[in-house]
Amino acid sequence: MSNPTPKPKQTTAIDHGVGSRIAFLRAANGLSQSALASALGVSFQQVQKYETGKNRVGAGRLQAIAERLGVPVSSFFEPEPEAATENGPALLRVAGAVELLRAYNQITDDQMRRDVIALVKSAARIGHGTGSTDIAPQRSATNGAAAPSA
């Protein structure tokens, strides 16, 4: 008869999921592995092992990580949306996404926010080599011609 449970020190898919959420939340908070390690009193290599799921995170250490990152412990166990969706944590793992979101969040003017979205959409179209537009060109108030780009 085989025993379906893993050995006590063996990591599981849950450990890998917890580790990836630690990495995501650490990066979203703008912390380096070294900074988190220092706050926890461990080496940055230990934080790397937690984040990759090579080492299991004990309950007390997980509580300390949650406190440092300003999240409830339960956030490390919440189901993640499918990676193929256009929203959620999977999208925020794209390099620069969190930084872009932080900068966008600092913009208080609604029109500037719309302009930033238009700019990013245009850059995305150029990056994909498509010429289609979702945004109509702005018209000059004097002659109805398209206004020159800045």
Side-chain angles (χ1 to χ4, degrees):
M1 184 163 109
S2 67
N3 184 0
T5 59
K7 296 176 185 175
K9 294 205 177 214
Q10 204 172 22
T11 60
T12 66
I14 294 171
D15 296 312
H16 290 273
V18 168
S20 69
R21 285 177 185 82
I22 290 171
F24 171 73
L25 291 167
R26 175 189 54 74
N29 278 280
L31 285 176
S32 67
Q33 288 179 334
S34 296
L36 180 57
S38 178
L40 298 173
V42 299
S43 68
F44 80 91
Q45 292 94 337
Q46 185 62 44
V47 170
Q48 284 179 327
K49 290 176 182 179
Y50 290 151
E51 291 183 356
T52 60
K54 289 185 180 191
N55 282 13
R56 302 180 94 175
V57 184
R61 181 69 39 85
L62 192 59
Q63 177 67 41
I65 292 169
E67 287 172 3
R68 178 60 184 92
L69 298 177
V71 298
V73 172
S74 62
S75 65
F76 297 113
F77 300 98
E78 293 171 354
E80 187 173 320
E82 291 296 318
T85 65
E86 283 295 318
N87 55 32
L91 182 62
L92 293 177
R93 286 194 175 97
V94 173
V98 172
E99 185 178 358
L100 180 62
L101 189 57
R102 277 195 188 123
Y104 179 82
N105 191 48
Q106 292 176 351
I107 300 170
T108 57
D109 181 77
D110 288 338
Q111 181 59 50
M112 179 150 322
R113 282 184 173 213
R114 287 190 294 274
D115 292 344
V116 167
I117 290 171
L119 174 68
V120 171
K121 284 181 176 181
S122 294
R125 282 191 301 275
I126 291 168
H128 286 291
T130 64
S132 66
T133 60
D134 295 334
I135 303 165
Q138 293 181 348
R139 301 283 175 192
S140 166
T142 56
N143 64 9
S149 297

